[in-house]
Amino acid sequence: MSMLPLVLVVLATAFSLMSLGGGIYEFLVVDASWPRRPDLIQPQRGGISRKRFWIPMHTAFEFLLIASVMAAWTESAVRAPLLVALVSHAVMRLWSAFDIIPKALAFERADPTTIAEETARRWTRRSMARLPLDLLTCGAMLTALITAAGLA
């Protein structure tokens, strides 16, 4: 195996782990607080802007993952876990796009006084339910990395 596929797998794995860490941080720190204070996630009210982290993070990871699959295509032992990572990440992103993100944007735009804390807590639990898909993606990326390193 040449160096390019290995480097791409290393970078994609790093970004998958950073994404997992960002999700865990968001759940433990941000989501633990904002249901009581919705303005914390409302950039127009001085709150954080989640998209400043997530858009670049997902864009970089997805680019690196696709490039890794293409570069390592001839190595079936590396290709298989990369495809698992690709599918699990795609499922998580589709779920996010059609369920989690639209509701998050609605919370960001809403008048903070109209957001019921229990509704916000339900959203945080649904959002965290994506964790198994993120863990599967990271596990598959680590498997691909270990396999690629063994072939280098």
Side-chain angles (χ1 to χ4, degrees):
M1 175 176 239
S2 70
M3 285 302 291
L4 179 61
L6 178 60
V7 168
L8 289 170
V9 171
V10 166
L11 291 172
T13 302
F15 273 86
S16 75
L17 293 169
M18 286 187 282
S19 181
L20 177 64
I24 292 170
Y25 171 83
E26 191 171 282
F27 179 74
L28 293 175
V29 177
V30 178
D31 291 351
S33 301
W34 81 260
R36 287 184 309 280
R37 291 227 11 239
D39 59 308
L40 291 176
I41 58 150
Q42 296 180 326
Q44 72 276 19
R45 288 181 167 69
I48 65 167
S49 174
R50 295 179 194 218
K51 65 184 173 187
R52 284 189 170 177
F53 175 78
W54 289 114
I55 290 174
M57 177 60 64
H58 285 300
T59 302
F61 173 61
E62 290 156 8
F63 172 77
L64 289 164
L65 179 55
I66 291 167
S68 295
V69 170
M70 291 170 50
W73 190 259
T74 59
E75 298 290 342
S76 63
V78 178
R79 180 179 65 231
L82 287 175
L83 291 174
V84 169
L86 182 67
V87 169
S88 62
H89 183 70
V91 169
M92 188 277 299
R93 292 289 282 143
L94 286 169
W95 177 6
S96 296
F98 292 103
D99 180 29
I100 302 298
I101 295 170
K103 289 178 176 93
L105 293 173
F107 284 127
E108 286 180 13
R109 289 188 298 263
D111 179 342
T113 62
T114 65
I115 298 173
E117 184 176 343
E118 184 51 37
T119 302
R121 293 238 178 264
R122 274 195 307 276
W123 180 90
T124 62
R125 286 189 296 272
R126 285 178 60 77
S127 179
M128 189 58 181
R130 298 174 297 164
L131 178 64
L133 290 169
D134 285 336
L135 289 170
L136 178 59
T137 299
C138 287
M141 290 306 305
L142 287 168
T143 300
L145 174 60
I146 291 165
T147 304
L151 295 173

